[in-house]
Amino acid sequence: MALPPPDSELGKLMATLPQTGRVEWIGLRPRREAAMRMVDSVQATAGRGLAGDRYTGGSGKRGVTLIQAEHLPVIAALSGHAAVEPALLRRNLVVSGLPLVALKGRRFRIGDVVLEGTDSCDPCSRMEAALGPGGYNAMRGHGGLCARILEGGCLRVGDPVLALA
């Protein structure tokens, strides 16, 4: 997605993210179909991914997957659950405090790591099994963001999430 010119009215609106987010949860998928493993920190490698995650070494466009913490109660409600555990949704990071959709096509920093939002992280058919009938549709529009790692480092629960200029 191409961003509008930064000096356009829409470009100025899209660049306005005065708040800082926060990493609430980190999970790794060691291999396809395996249960997520929750961790407090993980090493991120530029162009590759997260250590111990099945997508490490892939194209890099999906080096990290993120989901909005504020969307978890919405997904739960839309799928008929009182609450949804992040591991069920198979995203690497749960982030609160800023709209992830605003980071699509932009660079952002989490702790010492610099990332670039590459695309929406649309749900897969596994959400039907994880959340029950209608789970796939409950996730549509709430699946989060895929990002590539531009500068590696360690990601930690509690790290700030900040949009870069």
Side-chain angles (χ1 to χ4, degrees):
M1 172 184 121
L3 293 175
D7 57 345
S8 71
E9 194 62 34
L10 184 57
K12 291 175 188 172
L13 288 172
M14 290 178 73
T16 304
L17 285 167
Q19 66 274 30
T20 300
R22 180 180 190 276
V23 175
E24 302 293 340
W25 184 89
I26 301 173
L28 303 173
R29 302 161 295 217
R31 61 189 177 284
R32 184 173 169 78
E33 309 269 338
M36 294 283 291
R37 185 170 59 95
M38 186 177 78
V39 297
D40 292 326
S41 64
V42 64
Q43 188 66 31
T45 303
R48 296 198 42 87
L50 302 178
D53 192 71
R54 81 182 204 96
Y55 284 106
T56 298
S59 69
K61 287 182 148 184
R62 193 184 171 103
V64 179
T65 56
L66 304 93
I67 194 164
Q68 184 103 33
E70 292 83 355
H71 288 199
L72 297 181
V74 174
I75 294 166
L78 295 175
S79 62
H81 297 280
V84 173
E85 291 297 318
L88 279 178
L89 306 180
R90 306 196 61 77
R91 303 303 188 261
N92 296 122
L93 306 178
V94 176
V95 173
S96 66
L98 82 168
L100 284 177
V101 69
L103 300 177
K104 186 175 177 182
R106 295 191 56 179
R107 291 178 179 207
F108 58 101
R109 178 179 298 282
I110 300 179
D112 296 329
V113 179
V114 176
L115 303 109
E116 180 179 45
T118 57
D119 207 353
S120 299
C121 192
D122 297 322
C124 69
S125 61
R126 294 199 61 209
M127 292 303 101
E128 204 72 5
L131 298 170
Y136 173 85
N137 279 318
M139 289 264 322
R140 290 176 67 194
H142 303 287
L145 182 71
C146 295
R148 76 169 43 99
I149 302 165
L150 301 177
E151 294 177 24
C154 188
L155 295 171
R156 295 175 181 84
V157 171
D159 274 350
V161 180
L162 180 66
L164 301 175

